[in-house]
Amino acid sequence: MFLLPMLLSALALPAAQPAGTAILATDAETRWVPFDLTPGNQLRFTMAIDGRPATAILDTGVSYSVLSRRFATAAAMPVRPGGSATAIGGLVDIGWASTRTVTLGGVTRRGGGLTVATLPALATGSAKAVDLLVGRDLTGAYALDIDYANRRFRLLPSGRMPFNGRTAPLAISRDRLVYVSEVTLGAARLRPMVVDTGDGSSITVTSGGWKAAGLTTTPTTTAISFGLAGAVTSTIGIVPALTLGQLTARSVEVRVEPAGGFSESIEVAGRIGSGFLQNYRVLLDPTAGRMVLSPGPTADQPPVRSTSGLLVGVDTDRLRILHVMRGGPAAAAGWKEGETVCTIDGQPIPANYGSSSLATWSAGAPGRVVTLGLCDGTQRRLTLRRFY
């Protein structure tokens, strides 16, 4: 599958609201929260807000959890105006809604409230939007154990070490109030790096950080991602190695933001996203000052690499071309953003496209010829090749 990674970070949210009181259950260790990975590469699960089920995404790149306006309206929750917040892609309008209880795994928070904003479906790469982005305010006081291989996570008392692995520094930044660490890329030590489970990409750095790393011979192309405030086009390349604390990771996809991009604007060096973290079992424990990573079966394997040069979004029964990658076969063939595909080698786009074998075509073997049926009835043949 080669779908579009999404960026759900919403940093720099105002904090002048009551926090509520959170209690961690004595049996929290047994209260695993099952999740699935969205087509946009985020952790999606179900929790409860005032006793109502809510679909949520775990997003450690968000300082204060964000509730969708749609959910607030359906639950008849009064929303007070809250100004605007900095997000990837620009500014978003926000509000504030008081809550009675918020329940996530073994944690129950009474009182307080949630930031409210519009959460677009496109941000998960699927046709259905979620109700909540679970941010640092709900998880930061605990050890967050994410078992990607078994699609589950849990919240534990800080200081617990439920498994062994390589450690890296971890803290909550004083200014942005999000999880941060640091990496060594090429010749550069980059910090602070936001540890961002809501970012479906792997590693993202600023243009200055990429230049300082000195990786000038790395082949690159372009890609697009979506934040809460809109689209961002970046350069991407695959680097041979990257160091995160005691861990050296191999064959890592790195996304380079344009000059003046989001990371630079909020004075961070970049982000460590779910696209990277999902190769490990991960413990995030900022109170103890550490992140622990235990390699999973996909660690150090070459990342999925587009051979079509098309990044797509799923729109019910069709694929919408969201970006044509620089230097790829699709660019050479004249493909344009906004075009829609209804069949692949004669097969219609299924409802479960993101998890189906059909989705592997865009990163297929070089030399394969794929016949794409556009929704206007025309057909085009695309020969796949490696281009970065």
Side-chain angles (χ1 to χ4, degrees):
M1 180 177 72
F2 203 83
L3 290 165
L4 195 63
M6 301 295 167
L7 313 176
L8 293 181
S9 302
L11 304 177
L13 292 167
Q17 303 293 348
T21 302
I23 298 174
L24 184 66
T26 56
D27 63 346
E29 190 159 339
T30 66
R31 298 198 186 188
W32 288 98
V33 179
F35 68 83
D36 66 86
L37 283 177
T38 72
N41 216 25
Q42 298 92 19
L43 290 71
R44 180 173 53 197
F45 55 95
T46 301
M47 53 182 291
I49 300 170
D50 292 346
R52 296 170 65 101
T55 57
I57 282 178
L58 187 66
D59 195 344
T60 56
V62 167
S63 48
Y64 295 93
S65 299
V66 183
L67 182 68
S68 73
R69 292 188 183 277
R70 176 182 48 80
F71 183 96
T73 299
M77 300 170 69
V79 178
R80 301 194 299 272
S84 62
T86 305
I88 293 174
L91 295 176
V92 294
D93 293 328
I94 62 170
W96 175 265
S98 297
T99 55
R100 298 188 303 276
T101 59
V102 176
T103 304
L104 172 62
V107 172
T108 298
R109 189 183 72 185
R110 300 188 184 281
L114 296 165
T115 300
V116 180
T118 299
L119 300 182
L122 186 60
T124 63
S126 59
K128 189 174 182 180
V130 296
D131 300 317
L132 183 69
L133 305 183
V134 172
R136 181 275 323 162
D137 57 319
L138 290 175
T139 63
Y142 311 103
L144 175 57
D145 179 8
I146 308 175
D147 184 359
Y148 277 97
N150 292 300
R151 298 291 192 266
R152 60 183 188 170
F153 71 87
R154 58 184 173 174
L155 292 164
L156 304 172
S158 176
R160 285 277 288 112
M161 278 281 282
F163 60 90
N164 295 320
R166 304 296 177 89
T167 62
L170 185 71
I172 300 295
S173 64
R174 292 184 178 181
D175 50 355
R176 301 299 179 184
L177 297 176
V178 291
Y179 293 65
V180 293
S181 187
E182 60 185 56
V183 302
T184 299
L185 176 65
R189 183 183 181 188
L190 304 177
R191 59 181 180 177
M193 294 282 292
V194 179
V195 180
D196 190 352
T197 59
D199 183 347
S201 304
S202 179
I203 302 291
T204 300
V205 300
T206 64
S207 58
W210 179 256
K211 183 177 180 180
L215 301 172
T216 56
T217 61
T218 302
T220 61
T221 181
T222 56
I224 192 171
S225 298
F226 286 83
L228 292 180
V232 178
T233 300
S234 305
T235 296
I236 63 168
I238 297 174
V239 302
L242 174 145
T243 301
L244 173 60
Q246 297 176 337
L247 175 74
T248 297
R250 312 285 178 186
S251 298
V252 180
E253 183 179 278
V254 175
R255 187 174 297 256
V256 185
E257 293 180 330
F262 177 71
S263 295
E264 186 177 324
S265 72
I266 62 167
E267 299 179 334
V268 299
R271 298 182 300 281
I272 301 167
S274 186
F276 176 85
L277 297 173
Q278 68 178 332
N279 297 310
Y280 304 89
R281 183 169 175 180
V282 179
L283 184 74
L284 301 178
D285 190 351
T287 301
R290 66 186 173 216
M291 169 167 46
V292 183
L293 301 104
S294 177
T298 60
D300 294 336
Q301 290 186 6
V304 175
R305 186 190 309 247
S306 176
T307 50
S308 65
L310 290 174
L311 295 182
V312 303
V314 184
D315 188 5
T316 313
D317 61 346
R318 62 195 62 199
L319 305 179
R320 186 172 300 278
I321 308 304
L322 299 177
H323 183 68
V324 181
M325 302 169 76
R326 183 186 66 215
W335 282 79
K336 303 296 182 185
E337 294 177 10
E339 293 181 307
T340 54
V341 174
C342 280
T343 63
I344 300 169
D345 287 336
Q347 299 183 56
I349 307 301
N352 67 336
Y353 173 81
S355 59
S356 72
S357 59
L358 189 63
T360 62
W361 70 272
S362 62
R368 175 185 169 186
V369 179
V370 181
T371 301
L372 300 172
L374 275 69
C375 298
D376 63 4
T378 61
Q379 291 193 340
R380 298 182 194 168
R381 290 162 61 87
L382 187 65
T383 302
L384 307 181
R385 63 177 171 84
R386 186 164 174 164
F387 61 98
Y388 70 102

